Amino acid sequence: MPQVRRNVVIVGAGFGGLSAARELAKAPVNITIIDQQNHHLFQPLLYQVATASLTPAEIAVPIRHVLRSQNNAQVIMDRVVGVDTKSQNVTTESGRTVPYDTLVVATGARHSYFGKDQWADHAPGLKTLSDALALREKILTAFEKAEIVVDSDPEAAKRFQTFVVIGAGPTGVEMAGAIAELAQSVMRDFRKIDKANNRIILLEGGPRVLPSFAQDLSQRAEADLQALGVEVRTGTMVTDIVAGKVTTDQDSIAAETVIWAAGVQASPAGKWLSLPVTGSGHVPVDATLRPQGFENVYVIGDTARHEADGTALPGIAPVAKQMGIYVGRRLAALARGQTPSKRFRYSDAGALATIGRNSAVADIYGMKVKGFAGWLLWGAAHVYFLIGFKNRLFVMLHWLWLYVTWQRGVRLIMHREPDRHAERTS
Amino acid sequence: MPQVRRNVVIVGAGFGGLSAARELAKAPVNITIIDQQNHHLFQPLLYQVATASLTPAEIAVPIRHVLRSQNNAQVIMDRVVGVDTKSQNVTTESGRTVPYDTLVVATGARHSYFGKDQWADHAPGLKTLSDALALREKILTAFEKAEIVVDSDPEAAKRFQTFVVIGAGPTGVEMAGAIAELAQSVMRDFRKIDKANNRIILLEGGPRVLPSFAQDLSQRAEADLQALGVEVRTGTMVTDIVAGKVTTDQDSIAAETVIWAAGVQASPAGKWLSLPVTGSGHVPVDATLRPQGFENVYVIGDTARHEADGTALPGIAPVAKQMGIYVGRRLAALARGQTPSKRFRYSDAGALATIGRNSAVADIYGMKVKGFAGWLLWGAAHVYFLIGFKNRLFVMLHWLWLYVTWQRGVRLIMHREPDRHAERTS
């Protein structure tokens, strides 16, 4: 008595969506995974692409390729524009209608400028490979421009040599440390600009860096950042950002490169589903990761707001991954007529952040690890979680190369020319 | 009695310009090298970036980095917009004026559509990393779109699975072979589209592929291309190109991806210098690589037209490199008060073109090498000439990986989103 295989549609192939799909590999269901990108991105290392340590290909892998042997899964590269929960269809930008029996929404988050969207042009954030390449280009071009103008306009050169990172969570801390190291390593290749004029400033509204970490790890991270030459300014609120200038509640900073690592909001999935959402756009879900009133819709990862013991889970990769695994197992059990586990439980392995060469802070299963040991742990954990053996191998080789030689391999500025047919070199 | 060090300005850091700069490393001159890109590009392997085999960082290296230990050289990333040969100044886009005593113009070439510039939008060429990434995106997206539309519009799917390469010189031949292999390898990851509908068509106006090679090597290349599934159509002139369609003097081909490898023209350096140029914009130079009437201006590489024994030298890397070395040595001799070599002589080592995995044709010092032996020779020569040990190492590893696994590592579509702040996944 063969059953009709039910359609599971997964929107988003980040950590959450991909984990759900893989967990369903042997389940008797048809999976369709829809993403507007063709690749799964290892976001925790995105800042290393932005700071010229890794190449895009080392932290991204085609979704199709990850699922190539999974015969019950098909991949559609398209952008979802709406969901009709009555007729149980997903609509895409290219006009396609994809019917579902069960829908898994794993669409992640985007930057939030707390209503100041005009800041976005001057203080880009870091979510996609395009963001990372644009930022890499901006940072590397800043040094080139400083070198050009330093004789005629030393103040402008200083502005080009000043980098402001807003927000001192893990992304902001890692970004500031990586820029400090990049600045140090590229300076050897320039003839005119003065190393002493490089400024990397990390702004944080709260009282300490890495607020989600233990107090002593925050202190160690701050000390390590300062040792790298980063000016750490906690308790500082940004009040305005315009081209070339960041204004805070205390002073203003002339800087051509400003990076936003301060806020995120969930993707518009709540709107598609006509659901109540939190102020930051997150969809509240119950213990089985479903929004209230939906039997066959799951919302996971950075899009969801799930409370465990009264506090919301953070928007980090391990949470998304574990949610994806839970939903995958749950749907597999249901497809087989078994009883699924009653509730999602997050197993918190801890947190890790790296500050630079030889230094990281980690809080793993209650153990606090700092400095070089923390850095080794950080590297091992990140290589371990990279998808695909080839990527692991190449990232390890690349890091080893960087470590031994201090040479950044990916210092390429690949701007699209204003005129596509302009000559190759000026 | 110390002499005043003279200023040598080199415009363009391709094979010609960079070779000249390096040859002047120990000469008592001040070198300024100006390029609109920050990197030297190993153009002969650019098609491998466009076909997802290599990453941009593997074939490009920051110019500054190449010259970091050369204390008599400075690098300016800027675009040259004019030359005043009276006052001996170069003017750049950013408004800078760079004085020279000797000027070396090594600005390369760009695509030429033989007056049909409207074809450019539908049939892009391959000169820069941006070109290569845009093409990679276009090729990979074509398969994704075919997979989306194949059920509703099979004809459109076929159009997306058809790739036309125009021009069967080394670039066109290598591109067609690489697309055929890419098509073969990605098909395993798709569920719906039919491999049999993949068409790769190579159009050539002349009677045979690789017209600059010996007859029997052309024949072998054509046979090898056909073995890879490439339709080779010689004696076919393109008469029109619009979106989705190429028209020839024989029929029309419905294809979404069309690649231009048919013609080049020199950069506008002739215009800057108010010189007579050839129909394709090349600047005729004498035996010392100077245009007539100029004592202190050299024009080299793809920008120059230099006749040896009555025929013009081809626009290829070895010619540019040897010209750069000649000019570098000449200027070094002059700076030291020595007598420079009277004339440039091109030493023709031969030509190489690869058709795909295990197959290449080579004509080296009169020896003809084909098939697997040719392919090994091709790989060794290209790795050898790559600048920088790290790049060599990584390219070799990457090729080895591809060879053993058939997996393309760089199948990333990184389009800039229409809305920068759109959610990460749809």
Side-chain angles (χ1 to χ4, degrees):
Chain A
M1 195 185 74
Q3 282 200 310
V4 177
R5 289 164 76 102
R6 295 170 71 83
N7 291 324
V8 176
V9 173
I10 301 172
V11 187
F15 288 107
L18 208 51
S19 299
R22 291 174 119 188
E23 209 60 38
L24 283 164
K26 288 177 183 148
V29 294
N30 297 321
I31 304 165
T32 303
I33 190 159
I34 309 174
D35 198 300
Q36 66 185 8
Q37 307 279 7
N38 84 325
H39 51 270
H40 168 74
L41 180 63
F42 193 82
Q43 269 191 340
L45 289 178
L46 195 55
Y47 79 97
Q48 295 219 350
V49 171
T51 51
S53 281
L54 293 177
T55 71
E58 286 168 325
I59 63 158
V61 55
I63 301 159
R64 269 183 207 299
H65 190 70
V66 179
L67 298 174
R68 71 193 177 286
S69 320
Q70 191 172 328
N71 289 323
N72 67 347
Q74 67 160 323
V75 178
I76 296 175
M77 183 184 147
D78 207 340
R79 189 195 295 256
V80 169
V81 293
V83 175
D84 184 339
T85 51
K86 282 260 167 54
S87 63
Q88 304 199 157
N89 280 309
V90 170
T91 320
T92 73
E93 197 175 51
S94 77
R96 203 184 162 96
T97 301
V98 185
Y100 67 83
D101 297 303
T102 307
L103 178 67
V104 180
V105 177
T107 46
R110 47 178 174 160
H111 313 125
S112 163
Y113 290 87
F114 308 125
K116 307 275 190 181
D117 286 348
Q118 68 277 23
W119 294 359
D121 286 337
H122 312 298
L126 199 61
K127 279 284 173 198
T128 67
L129 283 177
S130 291
D131 292 344
L133 290 180
L135 203 50
R136 182 178 88 188
E137 203 162 295
K138 193 164 183 186
I139 294 170
L140 295 174
T141 304
F143 291 106
E144 296 291 342
K145 289 191 173 161
E147 181 86 350
I148 288 179
V149 301
V150 66
D151 292 332
S152 60
D153 188 348
E155 283 309 307
K158 281 184 193 169
R159 210 165 59 231
F160 280 116
Q161 286 179 263
T162 304
F163 301 85
V164 176
V165 179
I166 301 171
T171 304
V173 164
E174 296 187 325
M175 194 74 207
I179 295 175
E181 290 195 335
L182 173 66
Q184 225 167 351
S185 91
V186 299
M187 289 310 285
R188 290 175 300 171
D189 294 353
F190 285 84
R191 296 275 180 271
K192 296 178 168 179
I193 49 177
D194 187 352
K195 197 171 167 169
N197 289 333
N198 284 343
R199 288 179 75 193
I200 294 94
I201 303 166
L202 179 61
L203 301 179
E204 165 63 36
R208 59 186 175 106
V209 306
L210 298 178
S212 64
F213 283 61
Q215 184 94 36
D216 57 334
L217 291 181
S218 285
Q219 280 166 4
R220 173 60 183 259
E222 185 167 336
D224 286 353
L225 282 167
Q226 282 161 344
L228 273 178
V230 176
E231 299 171 36
V232 180
R233 298 199 196 163
T234 50
T236 305
M237 298 300 293
V238 170
T239 55
D240 199 18
I241 308 173
V242 295
K245 194 169 82 172
V246 175
T247 309
T248 73
D249 53 1
Q250 287 155 28
D251 62 355
S252 77
I253 307 164
E256 287 291 339
T257 310
V258 182
I259 296 152
W260 187 259
V264 293
Q265 65 183 82
S267 71
K271 212 172 59 187
W272 302 339
L273 300 167
S274 308
L275 281 174
V277 293
T278 68
S280 50
H282 294 89
V283 177
V285 292
D286 64 16
T288 58
L289 307 183
R290 287 177 290 187
Q292 213 191 345
F294 285 92
E295 188 60 33
N296 61 344
V297 176
Y298 294 82
V299 180
I300 63 177
D302 287 7
T303 316
R305 180 186 164 89
H306 178 269
E307 289 193 3
D309 310 323
T311 49
L313 291 177
I316 56 177
V319 170
K321 211 162 175 171
Q322 291 182 31
M323 285 178 160
I325 292 170
Y326 170 81
V327 169
R329 288 194 184 152
R330 186 182 162 88
L331 297 178
L334 289 170
R336 295 193 180 101
Q338 301 162 347
T339 310
S341 137
K342 279 245 162 17
R343 53 185 303 125
F344 168 69
R345 273 197 188 79
Y346 175 54
S347 154
D348 186 358
L352 277 162
T354 180
I355 292 101
R357 196 181 169 81
N358 296 348
S359 166
V361 293
D363 188 345
I364 301 293
Y365 295 116
M367 279 193 320
K368 290 172 190 165
V369 191
K370 307 173 207 173
F372 187 66
W375 185 74
L376 283 182
L377 183 67
W378 173 89
H382 281 74
V383 163
Y384 178 76
F385 287 114
L386 269 180
I387 281 183
F389 171 72
K390 187 226 148 203
N391 286 22
R392 281 182 206 172
L393 181 74
F394 276 65
V395 166
M396 269 198 299
L397 286 173
H398 214 138
W399 281 347
L400 196 65
W401 181 267
L402 282 179
Y403 191 79
V404 174
T405 67
W406 279 87
Q407 289 177 10
R408 305 255 161 173
V410 204
R411 276 167 39 205
L412 303 179
I413 302 174
M414 305 187 295
H415 57 85
R416 316 248 158 171
E417 282 89 325
D419 168 14
R420 280 177 54 191
H421 311 297
E423 66 275 29
R424 180 171 57 82
T425 49
S426 58
Chain B
M1 195 184 77
Q3 282 200 310
V4 177
R5 289 165 76 103
R6 294 170 71 83
N7 292 323
V8 175
V9 172
I10 301 172
V11 187
F15 288 107
L18 208 51
S19 297
R22 291 174 122 189
E23 209 60 41
L24 284 164
K26 286 176 184 149
V29 294
N30 297 321
I31 304 164
T32 303
I33 190 158
I34 309 176
D35 198 301
Q36 65 187 8
Q37 308 279 7
N38 83 325
H39 51 271
H40 169 73
L41 179 63
F42 193 81
Q43 268 190 342
L45 289 177
L46 196 55
Y47 79 98
Q48 295 219 350
V49 171
T51 50
S53 280
L54 292 177
T55 70
E58 285 169 325
I59 63 159
V61 54
I63 300 159
R64 271 185 206 297
H65 190 70
V66 179
L67 298 174
R68 70 193 178 286
S69 319
Q70 190 171 328
N71 289 322
N72 68 346
Q74 67 159 326
V75 178
I76 296 176
M77 182 185 147
D78 207 340
R79 189 194 295 257
V80 169
V81 292
V83 175
D84 184 339
T85 52
K86 280 260 166 54
S87 63
Q88 304 198 156
N89 280 308
V90 170
T91 320
T92 72
E93 197 176 51
S94 77
R96 203 183 161 98
T97 300
V98 185
Y100 67 82
D101 296 303
T102 306
L103 178 68
V104 180
V105 177
T107 45
R110 48 179 174 159
H111 313 124
S112 163
Y113 290 86
F114 309 125
K116 306 274 190 182
D117 286 348
Q118 68 277 21
W119 294 359
D121 286 338
H122 312 298
L126 199 60
K127 278 284 172 198
T128 67
L129 283 178
S130 292
D131 292 344
L133 291 180
L135 203 49
R136 182 178 88 189
E137 204 163 294
K138 193 164 184 187
I139 295 170
L140 296 174
T141 305
F143 291 106
E144 297 290 342
K145 289 191 173 161
E147 180 86 350
I148 288 178
V149 301
V150 67
D151 292 331
S152 61
D153 188 349
E155 282 310 306
K158 281 184 193 168
R159 212 165 57 231
F160 281 116
Q161 286 179 264
T162 303
F163 301 84
V164 176
V165 178
I166 301 171
T171 305
V173 165
E174 296 186 326
M175 195 75 207
I179 294 176
E181 290 195 334
L182 174 66
Q184 224 167 351
S185 90
V186 300
M187 289 310 285
R188 291 176 299 172
D189 295 352
F190 285 84
R191 295 277 181 270
K192 295 179 169 181
I193 49 177
D194 186 353
K195 198 170 166 169
N197 290 333
N198 284 342
R199 287 179 75 193
I200 294 94
I201 303 166
L202 179 61
L203 301 179
E204 165 63 36
R208 60 186 173 108
V209 305
L210 298 177
S212 63
F213 283 60
Q215 185 94 35
D216 58 334
L217 292 180
S218 284
Q219 280 165 3
R220 174 62 183 257
E222 185 167 336
D224 285 353
L225 283 167
Q226 280 161 346
L228 273 178
V230 175
E231 297 172 38
V232 180
R233 298 199 196 162
T234 50
T236 305
M237 298 299 292
V238 170
T239 55
D240 199 18
I241 308 172
V242 296
K245 193 170 82 172
V246 176
T247 309
T248 74
D249 53 2
Q250 286 155 29
D251 61 356
S252 77
I253 306 163
E256 287 291 338
T257 310
V258 182
I259 296 152
W260 187 259
V264 293
Q265 65 183 81
S267 72
K271 212 172 59 187
W272 303 340
L273 300 168
S274 309
L275 281 174
V277 294
T278 67
S280 50
H282 294 90
V283 177
V285 293
D286 65 16
T288 58
L289 307 183
R290 287 177 291 187
Q292 212 190 347
F294 285 92
E295 188 61 34
N296 62 342
V297 176
Y298 295 82
V299 180
I300 62 177
D302 287 7
T303 317
R305 179 185 165 90
H306 179 269
E307 289 193 3
D309 310 323
T311 50
L313 291 177
I316 56 177
V319 171
K321 212 163 174 170
Q322 291 181 32
M323 285 178 161
I325 291 170
Y326 170 80
V327 169
R329 287 193 185 152
R330 185 181 164 87
L331 297 178
L334 290 171
R336 294 193 181 102
Q338 300 161 348
T339 310
S341 138
K342 279 245 163 18
R343 54 184 302 125
F344 169 70
R345 274 197 185 81
Y346 175 54
S347 154
D348 186 359
L352 277 162
T354 180
I355 292 102
R357 195 180 169 81
N358 297 347
S359 166
V361 292
D363 189 345
I364 301 293
Y365 294 116
M367 280 193 320
K368 289 172 190 164
V369 191
K370 307 172 206 174
F372 187 66
W375 185 73
L376 282 181
L377 183 67
W378 173 89
H382 281 75
V383 163
Y384 178 76
F385 286 115
L386 268 180
I387 282 184
F389 171 72
K390 186 224 148 203
N391 286 21
R392 281 182 207 173
L393 180 74
F394 276 64
V395 167
M396 268 197 300
L397 287 172
H398 214 137
W399 281 348
L400 196 65
W401 180 267
L402 281 178
Y403 192 79
V404 175
T405 66
W406 281 88
Q407 288 178 10
R408 304 256 161 173
V410 204
R411 277 167 39 206
L412 302 179
I413 302 173
M414 303 188 295
H415 58 85
R416 318 247 158 173
E417 281 89 327
D419 168 13
R420 280 176 54 193
H421 311 298
E423 66 275 29
R424 181 171 57 82
T425 49
S426 58

